[in-house]
Amino acid sequence: MKEILKFSGFEVFSDADCFVKAGNVDSEKVKFDFTWKPIITGNEKIEIRLSVPCIDIICSWYPTCIMTRELNLCGFETSAAFSAPLTAMCNSKGNSVFALAVSDSVRYLKYNLCINERTANMDLAITIDLQQFGKERDYSVTLYTQMDEKPFWKMCENVSDWWDKLYNLKRLPAPKEVYMPCYSSWYAFHHKFTADEIISEAKKAKECGMDLFILDDGWNTDDTLTAAKYAGDWIVSAKKIPDMRKLSDEMHKIGMKFMLWFSVSFLGKACNSWKDFYDKTMDESEIFQSGILDPRYPEVREYIISAYERALIEWNIDGFKLDFIDLFKMHRSSEFKEGMDIFSVEEAVERLLTDACRRMRKIKNDVIIEFRQSYVGPNLRKYGTMFRAVDCPVHYRQNRVSIVDLRMTCSNTVISSDMLMWNVNDTPERAALQILNVIFSAIQFSMRIDSLTKEQVQMVKFWLGFAREHRKILVESTLKAKEMQNFYPIVYAEDEKECITAIYEIDKIADIDLSKKNFVINASGEDYIYLRATHKAAISYVTYDCMGNEVKNGVCEINCAVKFEVPQSGLIVLK
């Protein structure tokens, strides 16, 4: 590659016959306008480089890094179906000291972060593969850098607000149930269920405080092991569910919204449509015994969208869990063939989702659409009502990190947890950690309720009731999380009158504002917590155990860090 531009700390390189113009949008943003002559080898690229001194930096981050907080992250990718274009570096206080966001969340971009041993700098590069543009000969992108120290959540808020304006993002119409705890069948049933079992479980879930039922994979086949190989026809298994419309109506009578799982990208090898569309797939997945549909064909997009329209009209469901969209991003270099009307896979995914959501919302304006981490870019917030944390059964720490990461960058989109599960032989205190670690999200529950102990059911009802009562603060307000480098051991959210704080690690000290009523959740695993006030004052308090039973109340004086006895997975209310 040869260097073609130096501007405002950035260096631009390309091995194509390329011209670039750059200019400052403001003090933190630079816009690059590229034009190039026809590519010759098909491998030509543009690379934008920036070198950042490793001063007061201990870790790096990007929106789908999840449990990785290493300084030397190496590479990650973003596209219409994968991740979001933002990376940051933080110090030992968990504050952002450098962040770089990109305006384009649709095109395939590759990021590389690597420590330079010679300079003690972090060398960052963004690579733009020109093959994806087909016959297009120009491209513009804006880079947004924040180089001053600020709280990590504030840096993310700045970026999210910028994306909101770029993509004209607004809160999508959605029923109130998406903000409430809900039930998902996946971990509880997997592929083995009947309509009667689902209705029975939905009634129990409603009693526990859940208002939405998601019927996951398995409804479309009699098979109970490899259901994905039947994905594509979307014909209801009469053996499991004799009448899907009747099941949907029963859910509504119970008072539950009802959603169905659909795999967007799969064309199962055992489905009837395989013979019609196998030549319009990009690749095959041996694991799932399925082809990956190619959305660049208009017939493929119509085939996918029409299935959603039929489900809304014929079954009167309320929404969709749209899965495996991220598999589209794996095949961006697939050959362009006759019959395709869009060259880029990424652009085709955008067209698919745009048309699908427009047509679904014509039928049901507040249709619920769930996307899963990792397809969580700002472009996808135009379509998705809720974003769910990536699958992490039993792993409540990862679930917490995932929902906080999503809350940091997704502004007014509803964030839901991965489905909750635990070993039924565990104590209610330890089981409660599954709920408490995702209390700042729309909780998805996936335990067979009749398998729980009486104490576990009481615990579930108490904490889901708390989540319902305080949903405006827990799910809809600005989330503030401390120490991102340590996986957010203290998280809090507040309004003008109340503050809810959760402590997730032993011996962490949480600050409380005595001008507000404080709810402090003890998810540390110990039977005590430390609280610190901004000034000396006498306060009244009440503590509760994980099942909602009052344990102690009193009045005490608080100033500096004070130790409070709070039961494991319990709550203290101070005012």
Side-chain angles (χ1 to χ4, degrees):
M1 286 191 175
K2 64 179 181 180
E3 185 175 81
I4 57 175
L5 178 73
K6 282 186 178 181
F7 183 83
S8 196
F10 292 97
E11 297 176 302
V12 181
F13 293 78
S14 182
D15 52 8
D17 191 350
C18 179
F19 173 78
V20 57
K21 181 174 67 174
N24 292 109
V25 178
D26 58 34
S27 61
E28 294 182 310
K29 302 180 187 74
V30 176
K31 183 181 180 185
F32 295 91
D33 297 301
F34 298 97
T35 57
W36 56 88
K37 293 183 179 180
I39 60 177
I40 298 171
T41 68
N43 297 316
E44 286 88 345
K45 297 174 176 61
I46 294 169
E47 196 166 275
I48 306 173
R49 301 176 186 174
L50 180 67
S51 190
V52 181
C54 287
I55 297 173
D56 196 24
I57 293 173
I58 66 164
C59 68
S60 300
W61 175 92
Y62 61 94
T64 47
C65 66
I66 308 178
M67 300 304 289
T68 303
R69 294 290 193 268
E70 297 172 7
L71 182 57
N72 209 6
L73 276 180
C74 294
F76 68 97
E77 302 171 356
T78 65
S79 71
F82 193 78
S83 199
L86 169 64
T87 187
M89 302 173 201
C90 296
N91 62 16
S92 59
K93 293 184 288 186
N95 289 337
S96 170
V97 293
F98 171 82
L100 174 66
V102 181
S103 59
D104 185 2
S105 67
V106 176
R107 295 290 191 180
Y108 170 72
L109 303 177
K110 186 173 182 179
Y111 301 74
N112 188 66
L113 290 82
C114 187
I115 295 172
N116 188 319
E117 296 179 5
R118 293 178 174 84
T119 63
N121 286 353
M122 179 70 76
D123 290 344
L124 187 150
I126 301 172
T127 303
I128 306 161
D129 187 342
L130 296 184
Q131 182 187 13
Q132 66 186 301
F133 293 92
K135 294 181 180 180
E136 295 178 44
R137 297 286 177 265
D138 60 276
Y139 174 67
S140 295
V141 66
T142 300
L143 306 189
Y144 174 17
T145 56
Q146 297 181 69
M147 293 184 159
D148 57 328
E149 181 178 355
K150 56 173 65 72
F152 180 74
W153 66 265
K154 183 61 180 175
M155 176 278 295
C156 290
E157 183 180 63
N158 291 345
V159 172
S160 187
D161 289 347
W162 179 55
W163 284 336
D164 285 354
K165 294 174 183 176
L166 283 176
Y167 288 89
N168 193 28
L169 297 173
K170 298 175 182 176
R171 190 182 295 276
L172 295 174
K176 66 181 185 303
E177 286 82 0
V178 301
Y179 300 93
M180 300 294 188
C182 75
Y183 192 99
S184 170
S185 67
W186 182 240
Y187 294 143
F189 291 91
H190 284 94
H191 303 111
K192 298 180 180 180
F193 53 79
T194 65
D196 289 342
E197 289 174 323
I198 293 301
I199 287 295
S200 175
E201 193 70 5
K203 290 176 180 178
K204 298 184 184 79
K206 182 68 177 178
E207 292 174 1
C208 288
M210 291 170 255
D211 291 340
L212 169 64
F213 196 103
I214 303 173
L215 183 58
D216 212 297
D217 190 6
W219 60 266
N220 59 306
T221 174
D222 295 344
D223 197 302
T224 58
L225 295 175
T226 55
K229 71 179 181 180
Y230 297 94
D233 290 333
W234 307 117
I235 298 171
V236 182
S237 165
K239 183 178 179 181
K240 296 176 183 178
I241 304 172
D243 189 333
M244 183 64 85
R245 176 60 183 253
K246 182 180 178 181
L247 176 59
S248 178
D249 291 344
E250 286 294 318
M251 285 288 180
H252 294 149
K253 287 178 185 177
I254 294 168
M256 302 277 274
K257 294 290 185 181
F258 185 47
M259 293 172 59
L260 285 180
W261 173 89
F262 281 78
S263 167
V264 181
S265 58
F266 284 167
L267 181 72
K269 292 184 177 181
C271 79
N272 295 325
S273 299
W274 175 258
K275 64 181 183 299
D276 300 319
F277 285 95
Y278 77 92
D279 61 340
K280 293 180 174 61
T281 59
M282 293 189 289
D283 200 3
E284 294 183 13
S285 169
E286 290 303 319
I287 295 175
F288 293 109
Q289 299 182 45
S290 175
I292 308 301
L293 286 164
D294 195 326
R296 294 176 294 176
Y297 289 100
E299 301 96 323
V300 167
R301 299 195 299 273
E302 180 59 31
Y303 169 70
I304 292 170
I305 296 169
S306 62
Y308 307 154
E309 290 178 315
R310 289 196 305 272
L312 285 172
I313 295 169
E314 296 177 11
W315 303 331
N316 193 30
I317 65 174
D318 300 291
F320 301 85
K321 174 177 180 174
L322 297 183
D323 215 350
F324 295 107
I325 293 174
D326 45 357
L327 291 185
F328 286 133
K329 69 102 183 176
M330 297 170 63
H331 311 283
R332 60 189 176 277
S333 296
S334 298
E335 181 185 354
F336 186 74
K337 299 177 181 178
E338 184 179 353
M340 296 178 174
D341 63 348
I342 300 173
F343 185 88
S344 161
V345 173
E346 285 73 26
E347 295 287 347
V349 171
E350 274 283 286
R351 177 74 169 274
L352 168 65
L353 295 175
T354 297
D355 292 349
C357 291
R358 175 179 51 80
R359 287 165 59 174
M360 284 191 281
R361 291 195 168 101
K362 270 190 176 181
I363 299 169
K364 189 182 288 279
N365 183 53
D366 63 350
V367 63
I368 305 166
I369 299 173
E370 180 202 285
F371 292 153
R372 168 180 50 79
Q373 195 181 28
S374 56
Y375 38 99
V376 293
N379 61 302
L380 289 166
R381 286 169 48 209
K382 296 182 293 184
Y383 317 116
T385 313
M386 55 200 293
F387 287 175
R388 176 178 64 82
V390 71
D391 297 34
C392 53
V394 182
H395 197 338
Y396 58 75
R397 194 181 195 212
Q398 179 177 324
N399 216 351
R400 174 180 87 234
V401 172
S402 291
I403 68 110
V404 175
D405 280 350
L406 287 169
R407 288 286 306 270
M408 291 293 102
T409 58
C410 293
S411 185
N412 53 21
T413 301
V414 179
I415 302 304
S416 65
S417 69
D418 183 39
M419 299 77 72
L420 304 188
M421 63 171 292
W422 59 80
N423 189 295
V424 294
N425 297 312
D426 213 339
T427 65
E429 290 82 6
R430 286 194 291 265
L433 292 174
Q434 300 288 343
I435 297 175
L436 300 184
N437 275 267
V438 298
I439 199 74
F440 294 97
S441 71
I443 299 165
Q444 288 200 19
F445 190 87
S446 194
M447 289 287 292
R448 295 287 288 265
I449 295 171
D450 57 7
S451 73
L452 305 180
T453 65
K454 182 177 72 173
E455 292 77 14
Q456 287 178 352
V457 171
Q458 187 178 346
M459 175 274 292
V460 169
K461 289 182 176 180
F462 170 62
W463 278 117
L464 294 193
F466 181 87
R468 292 174 61 88
E469 181 181 354
H470 299 281
R471 72 170 180 86
K472 294 289 284 186
I473 295 177
L474 290 170
V475 181
E476 298 185 57
S477 66
T478 298
L479 191 68
K480 301 175 183 178
K482 294 190 173 183
E483 298 183 35
M484 62 77 64
Q485 78 281 14
N486 294 323
F487 305 105
Y488 310 118
I490 298 175
V491 181
Y492 64 101
E494 60 191 338
D495 63 13
E496 296 79 13
K497 296 180 180 179
E498 297 180 341
C499 180
I500 301 174
T501 303
I503 303 173
Y504 294 110
E505 301 292 343
I506 297 171
D507 294 336
K508 290 292 181 180
I509 301 173
D511 295 309
I512 57 173
D513 181 353
L514 295 180
S515 68
K516 299 182 179 183
K517 184 177 182 180
N518 286 271
F519 301 84
V520 184
I521 298 166
N522 178 17
S524 70
E526 272 290 359
D527 56 5
Y528 64 87
I529 57 172
Y530 288 100
L531 301 178
R532 179 171 55 204
T534 53
H535 61 276
K536 186 176 182 180
I539 59 168
S540 61
Y541 66 91
V542 184
T543 61
Y544 301 88
D545 65 16
C546 71
M547 293 174 282
N549 301 309
E550 184 176 327
V551 175
K552 187 178 180 181
N553 65 75
V555 176
C556 74
E557 193 173 82
I558 186 170
N559 188 4
C560 296
V562 175
K563 184 178 181 180
F564 285 89
E565 293 181 357
V566 181
Q568 292 181 32
S569 301
L571 174 72
I572 183 169
V573 182
L574 309 101
K575 57 181 179 179

